[in-house]
Amino acid sequence: MTTTLISSCSHEGDKPSGTNEVTNFEYKVDRFADLEILRYKVPDFESLTLNQKKLIYFLSQAALEGRDILYDQNNKYNLTIRRTLEAVFLNYAGDRKNKDFEEMTTYLKRVWFSNGIHHHYATDKFEPNFNQAYFEMVVRSIPASQLPLEGYDNDVEKMLKAITPVMFNKKLYAKRVNQTEGEDLIKTSANNYYEGVTEKEVDAFYEKMRDPNDSTPLSYGLNSKLMKENGKIVEKQWKVGGMYSAAIEKIVGWLEKAAEVAENDAQKKVINSLIDYYETGDLLTFDEYSILWVEDTESRIDFVNGFIETYGDPLGIKASWESVVNFKNLEATQRTITISQNAQWFEDHSPVDKRFKKDSVNGVTAKVITAAMLGGDCHPATPIGINLPNANWIRQMHGSKSVTLENITEAYDKAAQGNGFNEEFVWNDEERERIKKYGYQSDNLHTDLHECLGHGSGQLLPGVSQDALRAYGATIEEARADLFGLYYAADPKMVELGLLPNMEAYKAEYYKYMMNGMLTQLTRIELGNNIEEAHMRNRQLIAQWVYEHGKTNNVVELKKKEGKTFVVINDYEAMRGLIGELLAEIQRIKSEGDFNAAKNLVETYGVKVDPEIHKEIRERYAALSIAPYKGFVNPRYEPEYDNSGNITDIRVRYDESFVQQMVRYAKEYSNLPNLN
Ligand code: ZN
């Protein structure tokens, strides 16, 4: 429930460039389909000690070794399809210049970007712009030894028969995560978390494990596939010796090296506990690890590596594999320390009903980090903020760690400069100037507030289950965190604490939020579709609700100029009042586990799209040729060795294209069989 994704809107920034300028650094790397690939810098890596560099290097290797796991989690046939396309891409001796081959290459790039055949965000299957006959022809022309035939009796035809319907039959595996109310969410979702079981069976299976009186419940089902075997429902655990063992063993190997160069004992314990968890699959160990991890706040270097977020499962039970390796940005962290130190003040002053507030806000630790390596579900598409762990009781008893990935937001900002977005979508010069002046700063602040306070605020009433809101839970949780951030961005306390320069700055964030939630984020949705993804639903929910409820007082308007629709905010203070009202209601829904109210809010405001505005926004976007989604290539770490094979230094390189990186990863980190 805890990843902040960058909004589709970009803005011109006014932030000075980072230290350690790299000569000829190019933020923009590649552009295809609805995607753009950027590159991020790792400023200050050079200033770390050799041991710290080694630690980052070993953790980075561990971050890449799990790559295949995510492909397989996203769909059973993803690894076979990716490897077949890669084999064709690298070996096809026929005409590589024609349209079909180019379309197939684009399709492969999309598979790389999404870690599978479904759109990384919309989760529907993309359509190949080449036909099945062409695909079969090129595959058959490749020597069998180059093709992924293991698991298919070494038979090309058998392999093709398995994957071509998956790629070309629109109806098969159409949606990775289906959230459509009233359908069997498990049977109709194409992910590989479940096989041969119905939603009812899944509910029953996990209901039996849950004890409503358990104050420290395990995250049941988090690290396993649930399937039927000989008519019996069984869990296949992801661990050494279990499912995905080959990749997990590699991860563990690098973690063992990392433990040897840990910065301190606390960090060593964290790493060893994670190894223990990977070796046993024991969810109690995972909780122990999470507590050690959240309590290690002193180390400069930090990392996430494991089965963490549950967005890929419509029921929010199974976690996808991900990794982020990072180190603290000491200067910028001062900002989040200020926020955390005042966490209790924010909790006490929030417009939420007292019963749903925390008496004492526990250890919200927040920091600004520099991402050094992204892996699994954090790559190539990347969060800009992370708040973990996810288990509610650990958050309440031990606190949570919240981070903002500033070198990532900076790359977004730099790459967006001068792209014409603000000229096209912002109502007037006054708003544009304000966004130019304060947009980057207020955006970062909103992310900080969302992560370090929003997710950590409030409490469930006794007996309310963390999963009570079911498929609406993720949207409500994101809305809660966003509203908390929006509400306080406009508080004079921000200026008092030196987090914003004046009472004008928050208006930049309010304007961008409304514009994005009502209009510009629609560019990410195909015409005719509704909004599915939790963060997008949350943004539209908030924007539409504020718009509708402010109508009588004309708080926010949609105005037309030369046939184009714009957001106009007439009364910023009143808008803040509405945000406070909605925050109070959303917190009530979460705290009471009011499923019907959650459903009603999300379905009324967060899902449906006005087809005319949708079409207009898509056209205006197309004219600007801005990609609606962005992702990143990673840097490359190159160790230098002495004659005895000891690492003497590690260099960071920014020299790979997207294709080069994906081809290299496929070669170096191909750890799993085609079928698992
Ligand atoms: Zn969030």
Side-chain angles (χ1 to χ4, degrees), residues 1-5 311 385-387 450-451 455 474 477-479 481-482 535 538:
M1 312 294 128
T2 51
T3 308
T4 313
L5 295 152
Y311 300 108
I386 302 174
N387 181 315
H450 172 114
E451 296 295 348
H455 282 305
E477 176 57 20
E478 290 312 320
D482 260 0
H535 294 83
N538 133 53

Side-chain angles (χ1 to χ4, degrees), residues 16 44 78 109 184 189 234 264 280 386 532 555 641:
D44 290 334
N78 273 338
K109 285 180 169 184
D184 185 317
S189 291
V234 291
N264 51 57
T280 60
I386 302 174
E532 300 270 351
V555 178
Y641 299 91

Side-chain angles (χ1 to χ4, degrees), residues 226-506:
L226 194 70
M227 59 191 292
K228 260 193 196 146
E229 230 173 38
N230 306 320
K232 238 187 116 192
I233 301 178
V234 291
E235 269 189 330
K236 299 265 171 186
Q237 273 204 320
W238 307 323
K239 61 176 185 183
V240 171
M243 195 170 168
Y244 302 143
S245 186
I248 295 173
E249 285 166 45
K250 290 268 175 75
I251 295 167
V252 167
W254 289 109
L255 289 177
E256 283 167 349
K257 283 179 190 285
E260 285 169 26
V261 292
E263 292 176 277
N264 51 57
D265 280 349
Q267 190 177 51
K268 186 175 274 187
K269 269 195 192 155
V270 172
I271 299 172
N272 284 328
S273 164
L274 179 59
I275 292 172
D276 199 12
Y277 166 58
Y278 272 138
E279 284 176 342
T280 60
D282 186 349
L283 287 166
L284 188 62
T285 308
F286 179 64
D287 285 347
E288 284 162 11
Y289 151 78
S290 300
I291 293 165
L292 289 171
W293 177 80
V294 83
E295 287 178 347
D296 173 21
T297 53
E298 292 306 310
S299 307
R300 174 97 192 257
I301 291 159
D302 204 351
F303 72 107
V304 174
N305 185 308
F307 303 102
I308 307 291
E309 302 287 4
T310 56
Y311 300 108
D313 175 358
L315 298 184
I317 297 169
K318 310 284 174 195
S320 62
W321 189 87
E322 70 173 40
S323 186
V324 177
V325 182
N326 64 81
F327 56 97
K328 218 182 272 180
N329 175 336
L330 299 175
E331 208 184 296
T333 292
Q334 218 27 66
R335 196 174 73 213
T336 53
I337 290 174
T338 305
I339 293 173
S340 308
Q341 280 169 346
N342 290 280
Q344 191 66 52
W345 186 92
F346 290 111
E347 185 77 358
D348 293 345
H349 289 77
S350 95
V352 161
D353 189 307
K354 251 183 109 178
R355 292 178 300 143
F356 312 139
K357 284 188 193 180
K358 279 187 178 141
D359 292 334
S360 67
V361 180
N362 222 329
V364 183
T365 62
K367 56 187 178 181
V368 178
I369 58 168
T370 301
M373 185 58 71
L374 308 163
D377 220 356
C378 294
H379 185 252
T382 304
I384 55 168
I386 302 174
N387 181 315
L388 292 172
N390 281 333
N392 257 337
W393 71 267
I394 298 180
R395 302 168 69 83
Q396 279 190 9
M397 289 171 64
H398 302 274
S400 64
K401 234 193 254 182
S402 164
V403 303
T404 308
L405 291 74
E406 191 136 303
N407 59 331
I408 299 295
T409 56
E410 183 168 9
Y412 278 120
D413 192 56
K414 282 279 161 48
Q417 282 177 18
N419 66 6
F421 177 88
N422 288 342
E423 287 66 26
E424 177 62 35
F425 290 107
V426 177
W427 172 242
N428 61 19
D429 284 342
E430 189 193 345
E431 299 290 358
R432 255 190 300 276
E433 270 307 301
R434 206 152 43 209
I435 290 170
K436 202 171 171 188
K437 252 189 181 155
Y438 308 118
Y440 184 72
Q441 194 180 5
S442 60
D443 230 13
N444 278 340
L445 180 67
H446 183 248
T447 307
D448 293 340
L449 291 167
H450 172 114
E451 296 295 348
C452 41
L453 298 180
H455 282 305
S457 72
Q459 61 181 1
L460 302 181
L461 291 184
V464 173
S465 155
Q466 183 163 353
D467 309 316
L469 304 180
R470 300 175 59 86
Y472 299 105
T475 300
I476 293 294
E477 176 57 20
E478 290 312 320
R480 202 171 71 87
D482 260 0
L483 287 162
F484 200 96
L486 289 169
Y487 183 76
Y488 278 115
D491 199 292
K493 189 83 176 170
M494 289 298 132
V495 181
E496 186 191 307
L497 293 173
L499 295 166
L500 287 179
N502 53 45
M503 286 306 288
E504 282 295 290
Y506 82 88

Side-chain angles (χ1 to χ4, degrees), residues 8-62:
S8 67
C9 71
S10 311
H11 52 265
E12 286 184 78
D14 54 352
K15 197 170 172 279
S17 54
T19 49
N20 285 332
E21 273 315 314
V22 180
T23 42
N24 297 326
F25 188 91
E26 265 297 331
Y27 284 100
K28 299 183 179 198
V29 178
D30 205 344
R31 173 81 164 86
F32 50 91
D34 55 354
L35 305 168
E36 182 169 27
I37 307 291
L38 308 176
R39 195 190 305 282
Y40 63 94
K41 276 184 201 174
V42 190
D44 290 334
F45 180 78
E46 289 73 17
S47 70
L48 299 174
T49 66
L50 178 58
N51 247 16
Q52 289 175 321
K53 288 181 186 173
K54 281 188 192 170
L55 180 56
I56 287 181
Y57 174 67
F58 297 146
L59 292 172
S60 292
Q61 292 292 87

